[in-house]
Amino acid sequence: MAKGAATPAITALTKAGVAHRVHEYKHDPRSDSYGAEAVDALAAELGVGPAQIFKTLVIELGTGALAVAVLPVPNTLSLKAAAAALGASKASMADKTKAERTTGYVLGGISPLGQRKQLPTVIDESALSWDRMLCSAGRRGLEIELAPADLVRLTAAVTAPVISG
């Protein structure tokens, strides 16, 4: 990593002995489309398609519990499919403040790994078609490249089709 201390996500991977690479890019503080910014910065440089770069969304299940959905940046989450995959009747996008407080990360830097309290996680099944994927490393402008199977294992995630349409 170029500068700064390791994030909890990177620490979790290192402690688990999981092979990974960290990629840093210049985050524009004016950007509010964090996933698109990561795709623009890294896809061509790393030779990966936009569908290999995943975003982490925090959702609130019908029970009031929070959960995480991980899906390719270019796609839209089906809240109904995510809820069903996690055994809930419905889901909605979580409140920003609640998501940040619960995960310990800021919006745009929420990683599925190293959360303050590991939330139930669903990863879109398309991740399994790649030998490597990228997801947030726990800070805006920082991505982790790893094998999808490792992400599934470390987050105790379920995989399911959660893309809308």
Side-chain angles (χ1 to χ4, degrees), residues 22-115:
V22 178
H23 302 283
E24 191 166 11
Y25 60 92
K26 184 157 176 50
H27 164 64
D28 181 350
R30 298 168 299 186
S31 177
D32 60 357
S33 182
Y34 307 111
E37 183 180 50
V39 167
D40 291 346
L42 296 174
E45 177 185 328
L46 300 177
V48 298
Q52 275 180 272
I53 301 176
F54 284 67
K55 57 188 169 187
T56 305
L57 302 177
V58 180
I59 59 176
E60 186 167 341
L61 303 176
T63 60
L66 294 186
V68 170
V70 181
L71 66 152
V73 167
N75 298 104
T76 303
L77 176 64
S78 165
L79 288 165
K80 184 176 182 179
L86 293 166
S89 59
K90 64 179 182 173
S92 59
M93 292 305 298
D95 170 74
K96 173 188 180 235
T97 304
K98 191 173 179 183
E100 291 179 339
R101 187 173 48 245
T102 303
T103 63
Y105 294 119
V106 297
L107 207 63
I110 294 176
S111 177
L113 295 159
Q115 298 166 6

Side-chain angles (χ1 to χ4, degrees), residues 138-157:
R139 192 175 79 219
R140 294 173 185 159
L142 205 59
E143 295 282 309
I144 300 170
E145 179 182 336
L146 74 166
D150 287 330
L151 183 62
V152 170
R153 180 174 52 82
L154 290 177
T155 59

